Short mmCIF file of all heavy atoms in Angstrom, two decimals:
data_model
loop_
_atom_site.label_atom_id
_atom_site.label_comp_id
_atom_site.label_asym_id
_atom_site.label_seq_id
_atom_site.Cartn_x
_atom_site.Cartn_y
_atom_site.Cartn_z
N PRO E 269 107.87 123.98 102.18
CA PRO E 269 108.98 124.40 103.09
C PRO E 269 108.77 125.82 103.54
O PRO E 269 108.46 126.71 102.72
CB PRO E 269 110.16 124.33 102.09
CG PRO E 269 109.68 123.18 101.13
CD PRO E 269 108.16 123.50 100.98
N LEU E 270 109.02 126.07 104.91
CA LEU E 270 108.99 127.36 105.42
C LEU E 270 109.96 128.36 104.78
O LEU E 270 109.77 129.51 104.59
CB LEU E 270 109.15 127.38 106.96
CG LEU E 270 108.00 126.90 107.74
CD1 LEU E 270 108.33 126.67 109.22
CD2 LEU E 270 106.82 127.99 107.71
N SER E 271 111.11 127.80 104.29
CA SER E 271 112.15 128.63 103.75
C SER E 271 111.60 129.21 102.41
O SER E 271 111.93 130.41 102.23
CB SER E 271 113.53 127.76 103.46
OG SER E 271 113.12 126.61 102.69
N ASP E 272 110.79 128.41 101.66
CA ASP E 272 110.21 129.00 100.48
C ASP E 272 109.21 130.17 100.85
O ASP E 272 109.32 131.22 100.18
CB ASP E 272 109.47 127.90 99.69
CG ASP E 272 110.29 126.84 98.96
OD1 ASP E 272 111.63 127.07 99.13
OD2 ASP E 272 109.86 125.94 98.44
N LEU E 273 108.44 129.91 101.75
CA LEU E 273 107.42 131.01 102.13
C LEU E 273 108.06 132.10 102.65
O LEU E 273 107.66 133.29 102.24
CB LEU E 273 106.50 130.47 103.30
CG LEU E 273 105.32 129.53 102.91
CD1 LEU E 273 104.63 128.82 104.07
CD2 LEU E 273 104.40 130.12 101.85
N LEU E 274 109.15 132.07 103.45
CA LEU E 274 109.87 133.22 103.93
C LEU E 274 110.46 133.96 102.81
O LEU E 274 110.57 135.23 102.78
CB LEU E 274 110.91 132.79 104.92
CG LEU E 274 110.23 132.23 106.42
CD1 LEU E 274 111.31 131.61 107.24
CD2 LEU E 274 109.49 133.44 107.11
N LYS E 275 111.02 133.22 101.83
CA LYS E 275 111.72 133.91 100.72
C LYS E 275 110.66 134.78 100.01
O LYS E 275 111.05 135.93 99.63
CB LYS E 275 112.26 132.82 99.81
CG LYS E 275 113.24 133.33 98.71
CD LYS E 275 114.16 132.26 98.18
CE LYS E 275 113.52 130.95 97.97
NZ LYS E 275 114.25 129.99 97.30
N HIS E 276 109.46 134.27 99.76
CA HIS E 276 108.51 135.09 99.08
C HIS E 276 108.04 136.28 99.99
O HIS E 276 107.72 137.23 99.43
CB HIS E 276 107.25 134.14 98.71
CG HIS E 276 107.48 133.24 97.53
ND1 HIS E 276 107.41 131.93 97.67
CD2 HIS E 276 107.88 133.55 96.33
CE1 HIS E 276 107.66 131.43 96.59
NE2 HIS E 276 108.08 132.33 95.68
N ALA E 277 107.84 136.02 101.24
CA ALA E 277 107.39 137.15 102.10
C ALA E 277 108.50 138.26 102.26
O ALA E 277 108.03 139.38 102.64
CB ALA E 277 106.82 136.55 103.34
N ILE E 278 109.64 137.85 102.20
CA ILE E 278 110.82 138.81 102.43
C ILE E 278 110.81 139.48 103.83
O ILE E 278 110.19 140.55 104.07
CB ILE E 278 110.83 139.97 101.29
CG1 ILE E 278 110.72 139.43 99.99
CG2 ILE E 278 112.18 140.76 101.41
CD1 ILE E 278 110.54 140.43 98.84
N PRO E 279 111.33 138.87 104.75
CA PRO E 279 111.35 139.34 106.27
C PRO E 279 112.04 140.71 106.25
O PRO E 279 113.07 140.80 105.59
CB PRO E 279 112.11 138.21 106.94
CG PRO E 279 112.07 136.94 106.13
CD PRO E 279 111.93 137.45 104.77
N GLU E 280 111.65 141.57 107.13
CA GLU E 280 112.46 142.72 107.47
C GLU E 280 113.52 142.39 108.37
O GLU E 280 113.60 141.36 108.95
CB GLU E 280 111.46 143.76 108.16
CG GLU E 280 110.48 144.31 107.19
CD GLU E 280 109.33 145.26 107.89
OE1 GLU E 280 109.40 145.43 109.10
OE2 GLU E 280 108.38 145.60 107.12
N SER E 281 114.58 143.43 108.33
CA SER E 281 115.87 143.02 109.04
C SER E 281 115.71 142.78 110.53
O SER E 281 116.43 142.04 111.06
CB SER E 281 116.84 144.10 108.72
OG SER E 281 116.31 145.29 109.23
N ASP E 282 114.66 143.41 111.11
CA ASP E 282 114.54 143.12 112.56
C ASP E 282 113.56 142.03 112.99
O ASP E 282 113.16 141.72 114.11
CB ASP E 282 114.15 144.45 113.27
CG ASP E 282 112.83 145.02 112.86
OD1 ASP E 282 112.44 144.58 111.65
OD2 ASP E 282 112.16 145.80 113.47
N ALA E 283 113.13 141.25 111.92
CA ALA E 283 112.24 140.09 112.29
C ALA E 283 113.02 138.86 112.73
O ALA E 283 114.02 138.40 112.06
CB ALA E 283 111.57 139.80 110.98
N THR E 284 112.77 138.46 113.97
CA THR E 284 113.62 137.41 114.51
C THR E 284 112.75 136.12 114.94
O THR E 284 113.30 135.10 114.93
CB THR E 284 114.30 137.82 115.80
OG1 THR E 284 113.33 138.40 116.66
CG2 THR E 284 115.43 138.80 115.55
N ARG E 285 111.41 136.39 115.16
CA ARG E 285 110.64 135.08 115.63
C ARG E 285 109.48 135.01 114.52
O ARG E 285 108.86 135.95 114.01
CB ARG E 285 109.90 135.27 116.97
CG ARG E 285 110.77 135.55 118.13
CD ARG E 285 111.44 134.36 118.76
NE ARG E 285 110.81 133.18 119.24
CZ ARG E 285 111.46 132.19 119.61
NH1 ARG E 285 112.79 132.18 119.54
NH2 ARG E 285 110.94 131.09 119.90
N LEU E 286 109.26 133.71 114.29
CA LEU E 286 108.03 133.36 113.52
C LEU E 286 106.97 132.79 114.37
O LEU E 286 107.23 131.76 114.96
CB LEU E 286 108.47 132.25 112.45
CG LEU E 286 107.36 131.85 111.53
CD1 LEU E 286 106.96 132.93 110.54
CD2 LEU E 286 107.71 130.58 110.81
N VAL E 287 105.86 133.55 114.53
CA VAL E 287 104.81 133.11 115.36
C VAL E 287 103.87 132.34 114.52
O VAL E 287 103.26 132.71 113.60
CB VAL E 287 104.07 134.35 116.01
CG1 VAL E 287 102.92 133.79 116.81
CG2 VAL E 287 105.14 135.15 116.81
N THR E 288 103.68 131.07 114.96
CA THR E 288 102.68 130.15 114.28
C THR E 288 101.40 130.34 115.13
O THR E 288 101.41 130.06 116.29
CB THR E 288 103.14 128.76 114.14
OG1 THR E 288 103.11 128.11 115.34
CG2 THR E 288 104.51 128.63 113.46
N ARG E 289 100.41 130.87 114.55
CA ARG E 289 99.18 131.13 115.27
C ARG E 289 97.94 130.33 114.80
O ARG E 289 97.66 130.41 113.68
CB ARG E 289 98.85 132.62 115.27
CG ARG E 289 97.68 133.05 116.10
CD ARG E 289 97.47 134.63 116.23
NE ARG E 289 98.44 135.13 117.03
CZ ARG E 289 99.41 136.08 116.73
NH1 ARG E 289 99.41 136.46 115.40
NH2 ARG E 289 100.23 136.57 117.45
N ALA E 290 97.34 129.63 115.78
CA ALA E 290 96.13 128.79 115.40
C ALA E 290 95.02 129.76 115.27
O ALA E 290 94.99 130.89 115.71
CB ALA E 290 95.87 127.84 116.41
N VAL E 291 93.98 129.23 114.62
CA VAL E 291 92.71 130.15 114.45
C VAL E 291 92.14 130.59 115.79
O VAL E 291 91.43 131.55 115.79
CB VAL E 291 91.63 129.39 113.54
CG1 VAL E 291 92.13 129.16 112.13
CG2 VAL E 291 91.21 128.03 114.20
N ASP E 292 92.36 129.74 116.97
CA ASP E 292 91.83 130.14 118.18
C ASP E 292 92.82 131.03 118.94
O ASP E 292 92.58 131.16 120.27
CB ASP E 292 91.43 128.87 119.02
CG ASP E 292 92.61 128.04 119.29
OD1 ASP E 292 93.68 128.29 118.81
OD2 ASP E 292 92.46 126.95 119.94
N GLY E 293 93.93 131.42 118.40
CA GLY E 293 94.87 132.34 119.11
C GLY E 293 96.09 131.62 119.82
O GLY E 293 97.05 132.30 120.24
N TYR E 294 96.03 130.26 119.87
CA TYR E 294 97.07 129.58 120.55
C TYR E 294 98.38 129.68 119.58
O TYR E 294 98.32 129.66 118.31
CB TYR E 294 96.73 128.10 120.52
CG TYR E 294 97.81 127.16 121.07
CD1 TYR E 294 97.84 126.65 122.34
CD2 TYR E 294 98.79 126.59 120.14
CE1 TYR E 294 98.77 125.68 122.83
CE2 TYR E 294 99.72 125.72 120.58
CZ TYR E 294 99.78 125.31 121.90
OH TYR E 294 100.64 124.36 122.35
N THR E 295 99.47 129.98 120.24
CA THR E 295 100.82 130.27 119.50
C THR E 295 101.93 129.37 119.88
O THR E 295 102.08 128.94 121.13
CB THR E 295 101.26 131.71 119.55
OG1 THR E 295 101.68 132.03 120.93
CG2 THR E 295 100.16 132.64 119.17
N ILE E 296 102.70 129.08 118.95
CA ILE E 296 104.15 128.55 119.23
C ILE E 296 104.95 129.36 118.32
O ILE E 296 104.65 129.52 117.04
CB ILE E 296 104.02 127.02 118.75
CG1 ILE E 296 103.17 126.21 119.63
CG2 ILE E 296 105.57 126.52 118.76
CD1 ILE E 296 103.02 124.76 119.15
N SER E 297 106.10 129.81 118.76
CA SER E 297 106.94 130.57 117.87
C SER E 297 108.29 130.02 117.76
O SER E 297 108.84 129.13 118.61
CB SER E 297 107.14 131.94 118.49
OG SER E 297 107.96 132.03 119.56
N LEU E 298 108.95 130.29 116.67
CA LEU E 298 110.25 129.72 116.27
C LEU E 298 111.19 130.78 115.80
O LEU E 298 110.80 131.79 115.22
CB LEU E 298 110.05 128.72 115.14
CG LEU E 298 109.05 127.51 115.50
CD1 LEU E 298 108.45 127.00 114.10
CD2 LEU E 298 109.91 126.36 116.12
N PRO E 299 112.57 130.52 116.04
CA PRO E 299 113.51 131.45 115.51
C PRO E 299 113.48 131.35 113.97
O PRO E 299 113.42 130.39 113.33
CB PRO E 299 114.84 130.93 116.03
CG PRO E 299 114.64 129.63 116.35
CD PRO E 299 113.18 129.36 116.67
N ILE E 300 113.51 132.61 113.34
CA ILE E 300 113.43 132.74 111.87
C ILE E 300 114.71 132.27 111.09
O ILE E 300 114.62 131.63 110.13
CB ILE E 300 113.09 134.21 111.48
CG1 ILE E 300 111.68 134.44 111.93
CG2 ILE E 300 113.21 134.33 109.89
CD1 ILE E 300 111.18 135.98 111.66
N GLU E 301 115.82 132.66 111.71
CA GLU E 301 117.09 132.45 110.92
C GLU E 301 117.28 130.95 110.49
O GLU E 301 117.45 130.66 109.29
CB GLU E 301 118.27 133.09 111.67
CG GLU E 301 119.44 133.41 110.76
CD GLU E 301 119.13 133.86 109.45
OE1 GLU E 301 118.45 134.83 109.37
OE2 GLU E 301 119.47 133.23 108.47
N PRO E 302 117.28 129.99 111.38
CA PRO E 302 117.48 128.75 110.87
C PRO E 302 116.45 128.04 110.04
O PRO E 302 116.72 127.14 109.12
CB PRO E 302 117.58 127.84 112.32
CG PRO E 302 116.98 128.63 113.27
CD PRO E 302 117.20 130.01 112.84
N LEU E 303 115.16 128.63 110.14
CA LEU E 303 114.17 128.17 109.14
C LEU E 303 114.37 128.74 107.78
O LEU E 303 114.16 128.06 106.75
CB LEU E 303 112.75 128.62 109.74
CG LEU E 303 112.35 127.97 111.10
CD1 LEU E 303 111.15 128.70 111.63
CD2 LEU E 303 112.12 126.50 110.89
N ARG E 304 114.80 129.97 107.71
CA ARG E 304 115.00 130.70 106.56
C ARG E 304 116.30 130.21 105.78
O ARG E 304 116.15 129.90 104.59
CB ARG E 304 115.35 132.19 106.82
CG ARG E 304 115.48 133.08 105.72
CD ARG E 304 115.61 134.51 106.24
NE ARG E 304 116.22 135.44 105.39
CZ ARG E 304 116.01 136.61 105.34
NH1 ARG E 304 115.36 137.20 106.31
NH2 ARG E 304 116.69 137.40 104.55
N SER E 305 117.19 129.73 106.49
CA SER E 305 118.34 129.31 105.81
C SER E 305 118.22 127.81 105.46
O SER E 305 119.04 127.17 104.72
CB SER E 305 119.66 129.38 106.78
OG SER E 305 119.45 128.43 107.79
N GLY E 306 117.21 127.11 106.06
CA GLY E 306 117.01 125.70 105.78
C GLY E 306 117.74 124.74 106.67
O GLY E 306 117.66 123.57 106.54
N GLU E 307 118.46 125.43 107.65
CA GLU E 307 119.26 124.55 108.60
C GLU E 307 118.24 123.67 109.32
O GLU E 307 118.56 122.52 109.66
CB GLU E 307 120.07 125.50 109.64
CG GLU E 307 120.90 124.81 110.49
CD GLU E 307 121.40 125.87 111.68
OE1 GLU E 307 121.36 126.99 111.38
OE2 GLU E 307 121.84 125.27 112.65
N TRP E 308 117.12 124.26 109.79
CA TRP E 308 115.94 123.45 110.22
C TRP E 308 114.93 123.36 109.16
O TRP E 308 114.30 124.41 108.90
CB TRP E 308 115.37 124.06 111.49
CG TRP E 308 116.26 124.45 112.69
CD1 TRP E 308 117.58 124.14 112.78
CD2 TRP E 308 115.88 125.02 113.81
NE1 TRP E 308 118.01 124.55 114.08
CE2 TRP E 308 117.02 125.05 114.62
CE3 TRP E 308 114.63 125.51 114.34
CZ2 TRP E 308 116.96 125.66 115.94
CZ3 TRP E 308 114.62 126.05 115.60
CH2 TRP E 308 115.72 126.09 116.42
N PRO E 309 114.82 122.21 108.58
CA PRO E 309 113.85 122.10 107.44
C PRO E 309 112.30 122.12 108.04
O PRO E 309 111.93 121.01 108.58
CB PRO E 309 114.10 120.83 106.76
CG PRO E 309 115.07 120.09 107.60
CD PRO E 309 115.49 120.97 108.83
N GLY E 310 111.60 123.22 108.15
CA GLY E 310 110.34 123.28 108.59
C GLY E 310 109.33 123.45 107.56
O GLY E 310 109.62 123.84 106.46
N TYR E 311 108.13 123.03 107.82
CA TYR E 311 107.06 123.01 106.77
C TYR E 311 105.66 123.52 107.34
O TYR E 311 105.44 123.37 108.48
CB TYR E 311 106.77 121.54 106.23
CG TYR E 311 108.02 120.79 105.76
CD1 TYR E 311 108.89 120.23 106.71
CD2 TYR E 311 108.34 120.81 104.41
CE1 TYR E 311 109.99 119.55 106.07
CE2 TYR E 311 109.41 120.22 103.88
CZ TYR E 311 110.28 119.48 104.75
OH TYR E 311 111.27 118.96 104.19
N VAL E 312 104.95 124.05 106.31
CA VAL E 312 103.50 124.29 106.59
C VAL E 312 102.80 123.06 106.04
O VAL E 312 102.85 122.77 104.83
CB VAL E 312 103.00 125.52 106.00
CG1 VAL E 312 101.45 125.42 105.97
CG2 VAL E 312 103.48 126.80 106.61
N VAL E 313 102.50 122.11 106.90
CA VAL E 313 101.89 120.85 106.45
C VAL E 313 100.42 120.83 106.18
O VAL E 313 99.68 121.43 107.07
CB VAL E 313 102.30 119.80 107.60
CG1 VAL E 313 101.52 118.40 107.43
CG2 VAL E 313 103.70 119.55 107.69
N ILE E 314 100.09 120.25 105.07
CA ILE E 314 98.56 120.35 104.73
C ILE E 314 98.10 118.86 104.44
O ILE E 314 96.91 118.66 104.20
CB ILE E 314 98.24 121.23 103.49
CG1 ILE E 314 99.24 120.80 102.40
CG2 ILE E 314 98.42 122.71 103.80
CD1 ILE E 314 98.82 121.55 101.04
N GLY E 315 99.01 117.87 104.56
CA GLY E 315 98.56 116.54 104.26
C GLY E 315 99.31 115.55 105.08
O GLY E 315 100.46 115.81 105.46
N MET E 316 98.71 114.40 105.44
CA MET E 316 99.31 113.30 106.05
C MET E 316 98.96 112.03 105.30
O MET E 316 97.77 111.79 105.15
CB MET E 316 98.82 113.20 107.61
CG MET E 316 99.53 112.15 108.44
SD MET E 316 98.77 112.06 110.05
CE MET E 316 99.81 110.70 110.68
N ASN E 317 99.97 111.11 105.10
CA ASN E 317 99.66 109.85 104.51
C ASN E 317 98.82 109.99 103.13
O ASN E 317 97.95 109.18 103.06
CB ASN E 317 99.05 108.93 105.38
CG ASN E 317 100.01 108.77 106.75
OD1 ASN E 317 101.09 109.15 106.74
ND2 ASN E 317 99.32 108.26 107.84
N GLY E 318 99.03 111.00 102.39
CA GLY E 318 98.26 111.13 101.02
C GLY E 318 96.97 111.81 101.18
O GLY E 318 96.37 111.93 100.08
N GLU E 319 96.55 112.12 102.31
CA GLU E 319 95.23 112.73 102.51
C GLU E 319 95.38 114.16 103.24
O GLU E 319 96.39 114.35 103.87
CB GLU E 319 94.28 111.89 103.28
CG GLU E 319 94.07 110.57 102.42
CD GLU E 319 93.14 109.64 103.26
OE1 GLU E 319 92.84 109.84 104.44
OE2 GLU E 319 92.72 108.65 102.58
#
Side-chain angles (χ1 to χ4, degrees):
L270 282 169
S271 55
D272 289 355
L273 284 173
L274 291 171
K275 191 158 38 176
H276 283 122
I278 313 174
E280 288 171 3
S281 58
D282 59 340
T284 52
R285 303 279 311 170
L286 179 70
V287 177
T288 73
R289 181 172 288 118
V291 294
D292 62 356
Y294 175 97
T295 70
I296 296 174
S297 72
L298 296 155
I300 289 174
E301 201 34 56
L303 294 170
R304 184 176 160 154
S305 67
E307 186 193 340
W308 301 1
Y311 302 85
V312 170
V313 166
I314 53 173
M316 179 186 183
N317 304 343
E319 294 181 347

